[in-house]
């Protein structure tokens, strides 16, 4: 049963997005939506941006495929805007046009010595009602402090290891100086941000990975797979694909059709206390699962003439950095991080810190909207 939400329910979430993206009064903001985007969410974004002092305008397109062509009018509209908000389920990061902009936009922390790029991109994950839930309303200041504590553990590490009850045993070496997909303060990275966020990219294909990994959800496909899909990995190459139902068949076909697509290039995990597994499963893009559990991806190099990328959730996996447990089963961030004294201190600014950081609350009566 879905809960109906009004524009008023979403304004704290809108405020959080404006803060996380470091929007500025007077910014010309393009809301790039498609025919599937939630209308109430668009109204809330428009109202919040106007109240803040920005100048919103909306462009609604037909759905653009994951690797499809972006209409010239869309690129022109983004080019002349200060900020472009991609309203769920708009996702053009893998299209040839957008990939040409390069990865510099994604390098966390570079805003310390780089100005905000124009247009600034916001991957807004706002499926219906998200702005009214704790996932969007969670204080940015607390999430940024959590990111710092996570980085302090992951950056000095050398090896990431994932295990689960299905048989996942995946190990990869990585460069702790090349962490990606994190946000530490407003407007970070300088080229784009997600909202909501709460993720840490560890392995990017440049280390060495071996073992096997089971995916239970794949981005772009709603719900859980009919059966988990297993990838066997040797020296970064996926040598076997089993299970996964129709998605497993598509994965094998991808390897046949696109050379170099069978390489493991991504291991991430989430640390957002309010990310919901149930909402993340229902969302075809599974954003909340990336903010909660281990995540793995394969594909071609980014500059490949026929770029392809397939990724998904290692549902209920345990993730270790070297020998230290960071993510436990069911997406539970290790309490030494979640309840780090510095995190608790910041969370206390918003109420009882343990309640602020609590992943679930029975007080919400099933709506997931009350701390």
């Amino acid at each position: 049963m879905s809960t109906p939400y009004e524009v008023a329910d979403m304004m704290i979430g809108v405020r959080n997005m404006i803060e996380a993206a470091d929007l500025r009064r007077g910014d010309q903001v393009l809301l790039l939506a498609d025919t599937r985007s939630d209308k109430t969410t668009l109204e809330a974004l428009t109202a919040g941006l106007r109240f803040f002092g920005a100048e919103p305008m909306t462009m609604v397109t037909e759905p653009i495929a994951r690797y499809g062509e972006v209409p010239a009018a869309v690129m022109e509209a983004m080019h002349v805007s200060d900020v472009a908000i991609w309203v769920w389920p708009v996702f053009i990061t893998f299209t040839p046009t957008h990939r040409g902009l390069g990865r510099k936009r994604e390098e966390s922390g570079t805003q310390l010595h780089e100005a905000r790029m124009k247009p600034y991109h916001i991957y807004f994950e706002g499926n219906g009602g998200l702005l009214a839930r704790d996932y969007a309303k969670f204080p940015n200041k607390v999430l940024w402090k959590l990111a710092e504590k996570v980085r302090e553990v992951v950056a000095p590490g050398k090896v990431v290891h994932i295990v689960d009850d299905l048989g996942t045993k995946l190990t990869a070496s990585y460069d702790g100086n090349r962490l990606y997909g994190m946000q530490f303060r407003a407007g970070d990275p300088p080229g784009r941000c997600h909202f909501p966020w709460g993720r840490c990219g560890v392995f990017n294909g440049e280390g060495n990975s071996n073992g096997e990994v089971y995916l239970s959800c794949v981005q772009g496909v709603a719900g859980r797979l009919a059966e988990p899909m297993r990838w066997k990995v040797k020296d970064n190459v996926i040598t076997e694909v089993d299970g996964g139902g129709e998605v497993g068949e598509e994965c094998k076909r991808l390897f046949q059709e696109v050379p170099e697509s069978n390489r493991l290039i991504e291991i991430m995990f989430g640390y957002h206390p309010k990310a919901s597994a149930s909402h993340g499963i229902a969302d075809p893009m599974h954003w909340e699962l990336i903010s909660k559990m281990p995540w793995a991806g394969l594909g071609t190099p980014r500059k490949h003439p026929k770029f392809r990328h397939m990724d998904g959730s290692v549902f209920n996996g345990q993730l270790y950095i070297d020998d230290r447990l960071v993510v436990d089963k069911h997406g539970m961030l290790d309490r030494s991080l979640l309840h780090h004294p510095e995190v608790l201190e910041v969370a206390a600014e918003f109420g009882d810190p343990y309640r602020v950081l609590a992943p679930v609350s029975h007080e919400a009566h099933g709506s997931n909207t009350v701390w």
Side-chain angles (χ1 to χ4, degrees), residues 276-322:
S276 160
S278 59
H279 285 289
I281 291 169
D283 176 4
M285 299 301 286
H286 303 307
W287 291 122
E288 285 189 63
L289 292 183
I290 315 178
S291 291
K292 188 174 183 66
M293 299 185 184
W295 187 265
L298 58 76
T300 60
R302 200 168 183 86
K303 294 184 178 180
H304 194 282
K306 194 175 181 181
F307 175 82
R308 291 294 184 271
H309 185 82
M310 178 180 286
D311 52 358
S313 175
V314 188
F315 204 76
N316 291 336
Q318 293 172 297
L319 183 140
Y320 295 80
I321 296 298
D322 295 336

